[in-house]
Amino acid sequence: MQETVSIGLNLIGGEWKSCRRGETYELYNPADQRVVLGRFQNSTEEDANDAVRAAKAAFSGWASLPAPKRAEIVYEAWSILKKRSEEFSLAITVEEGKPLADSRGEVKRSANVLEFCAGEGRRLGGDTIPSELPKTFIWTYRRPIGVVAVITPWNFPLSIPVWKIAPALIAGNTIVFKPASITPGIGIKLCNLFMDAGLPPGVLNMITGPGGSVGRALVENVDVRGVSFTGSTETGRWIYEYAAKYMKKAQCEMGGKNAVIVAADADVDLAVEGVVQGAFGSSGQRCTATSRVVVDSSIKKVFMDKLLEKTRSLKVGPGTATATDVGPLSSRTQLEKVLFYISDAVNEGAKLVAGGRRLTGEDLDHGYYVEPTIFDEVTTDMRIAREEVFGPVLSVLSGSGMDELLQIANDSTYGLSGSIYTKDIARAMKYAHESEVGMIHINSPTLGGEAQAPFGGIKASGIGPREQGKRAVEFFTEEVVVYLDFTGSKREAKFI
Ligand code: NDP
């Protein structure tokens, strides 16, 4: 008997459709390549343009709905997601590979964002401003941008789309969403969630297909007035350049090379716990993952002993197994990239002290498993200390005293997140003020963020207004100022 493979369709104008040329691509489970997860639309520019047309047609109806009414739909999506959280968690693990505990965390975070953004529907106000003219009232309000493209990566296939789509909806925009090609199934589930919550047809559209053609066509479509992107710095740079040229709004969240400083007075056990969680959780495939640790030479030996012991105790395996700490990498491309960086670091003279190999054997042969890997004696000029690996690979650097530790941590083109372990308030404050990153942690891992706080980086890690938190609607709106003259007759005052 032939096995049936599910077919994922595009969502355009409220209808699930095949792409125009009728081609699909096959997707496999990253934990076991023998398992086909489904077939998805290999769309082209034509489909992208169809989706933009549908979003444009739905815009005026959606934008004219009062924001608290739009928010009711986002609240409903929140309520449905909470009820179906286990189903969504399992789907993330199967498609992306991360352990179930991490997927549950992602679903929880997505629900928090929906809840927070829905509340913003009742707070989408502006300012009233005193005028220097008599009988003049000045106020501001926020208008939606129009049609926005949401282009997202595979590493957080639910929460990143949610934290872009929810504020875009609240602000009154209509959307064309392009999920990463290796996690389209979660994108489809998310669109269905919003439709079940009552979102009108055409407000949220989704197409799958290669970023280089379909994603590009969205960015280049004249009717797309804003692009919210998360992914590699290379793609983000192109999107930002293109948007600048054609005066579109763009918001790009990109890579990181996040460092943890372990100061001389740190609680070493706490630091080891945080570094291991940051470096190897979700197989290091987080933009906020810890990829460098900069440790004070005076405590390096004790730190390294504990770090190696903890790292060697991690269990690598399929994300669905309850004992798994570290799941597979999400794709063959990621596997090859991570193995390249490992061999390159060895060639550059970094000292491999843990891991370093692709894992095989019974359950692992058909998945993309790499051992949690640590390089010691890394220097700031090595590629392993400078480029984003996006895998379970940690570089250890060392220095003496706060100034040197900070200077090493700041020696990066990236600036997403960072952390310090110290009990000394003066060191913590120095770090909080001088660390060149957008998100700072003190005595906690480089990871994560809360729905009500801004998320994003500086330098090559992020450009454009911050995501999440109460300013998330900023990117998805234009601020307009209104002057109302209520003198009712010719006024004396002169304008400048
Ligand atoms: P990309 O930047 O290529 O992909 C991110 C998203 O952009 C995907 O939906 C992709 O589509 C799409 N895309 C690709 N090219 C274009 C384009 N020219 N125009 C518009 N959209 C485009 O990242 P990758 O997934 O290829 O990952 C490469 C590396 O990027 C990783 O190894 C990691 O270092 C970094 N990365 C960082 C992330 C972060 O959270 N900061 C997240 C993911 C990756 P498609 O999937 O079809 O290619």
Side-chain angles (χ1 to χ4, degrees), residues 40-335:
F40 298 89
Q41 302 306 305
N42 202 359
S43 312
T44 61
E45 290 87 340
E46 279 185 296
D47 304 295
N49 295 337
D50 286 347
V52 174
R53 268 191 290 278
K56 196 177 174 193
F59 176 69
S60 68
W62 181 245
S64 60
L65 201 66
K69 289 280 167 212
R70 296 195 292 258
E72 280 174 17
I73 294 170
V74 177
Y75 260 127
E76 185 57 22
W78 168 59
S79 156
I80 301 173
L81 181 60
K82 281 203 310 179
K83 286 182 204 130
R84 291 172 50 195
S85 65
E86 202 49 29
E87 172 205 326
F88 271 83
S89 304
L90 187 60
I92 293 173
T93 291
V94 168
E95 195 166 85
E96 198 270 354
K98 66 181 74 171
L100 254 178
D102 291 351
S103 299
R104 289 187 182 118
E106 180 172 351
V107 174
K108 176 81 174 69
R109 171 101 174 259
S110 309
N112 292 349
V113 171
L114 288 171
E115 182 197 25
F116 180 82
C117 285
E120 289 300 287
R122 291 199 177 271
R123 286 187 286 268
L124 201 66
D127 297 320
T128 58
I129 299 161
S131 170
E132 61 195 39
L133 300 172
K135 296 197 173 176
T136 296
F137 182 50
I138 309 177
W139 79 94
T140 67
Y141 75 98
R142 291 195 165 272
R143 270 186 202 161
I145 317 176
V147 177
V148 294
V150 164
I151 301 177
T152 55
W154 40 267
N155 59 334
F156 283 93
L158 182 69
S159 63
I160 294 179
V162 164
W163 79 53
K164 294 177 187 294
I165 290 171
L169 290 177
I170 290 295
N173 301 278
T174 53
I175 299 162
V176 181
F177 164 38
K178 199 213 88 64
S181 289
I182 61 166
T183 50
I186 306 299
I188 290 173
K189 282 181 88 67
L190 178 61
C191 290
N192 272 319
L193 178 84
F194 277 114
M195 298 216 346
D196 291 349
L199 201 64
V203 174
L204 174 62
N205 306 275
M206 191 206 77
I207 42 166
T208 57
S213 52
V214 170
R216 194 182 176 101
L218 288 179
V219 177
E220 290 178 347
N221 189 305
V222 288
D223 288 324
V224 170
R225 299 308 311 147
V227 181
S228 183
F229 165 82
T230 300
S232 64
T233 300
E234 192 190 1
T235 306
R237 183 175 287 124
W238 174 75
I239 290 176
Y240 204 71
E241 276 171 11
Y242 188 89
K245 193 163 164 201
Y246 292 96
M247 303 287 180
K248 291 175 193 256
K249 287 186 96 174
Q251 169 185 57
C252 301
E253 283 306 330
M254 300 164 287
K257 193 69 199 170
N258 313 303
V260 168
I261 289 181
V262 184
D265 66 309
D267 176 333
V268 173
D269 291 319
L270 188 69
V272 165
E273 193 68 40
V275 167
V276 168
Q277 220 182 318
F280 306 123
S282 294
S283 310
Q285 297 181 125
R286 287 171 163 139
C287 51
T288 54
T290 303
S291 63
R292 296 178 292 152
V293 56
V294 190
V295 57
D296 195 284
S297 310
S298 62
I299 54 159
K300 186 163 175 216
K301 166 119 186 39
V302 56
F303 174 79
M304 287 306 289
D305 288 349
K306 290 184 181 210
L307 177 69
L308 291 173
E309 188 189 340
K310 178 90 190 159
T311 301
R312 288 183 183 127
S313 73
L314 295 174
K315 174 105 182 74
V316 182
T320 45
T322 42
T324 294
D325 299 302
V326 181
L329 294 169
S330 299
S331 65
R332 175 166 292 282
T333 315
Q334 280 301 114
L335 175 76

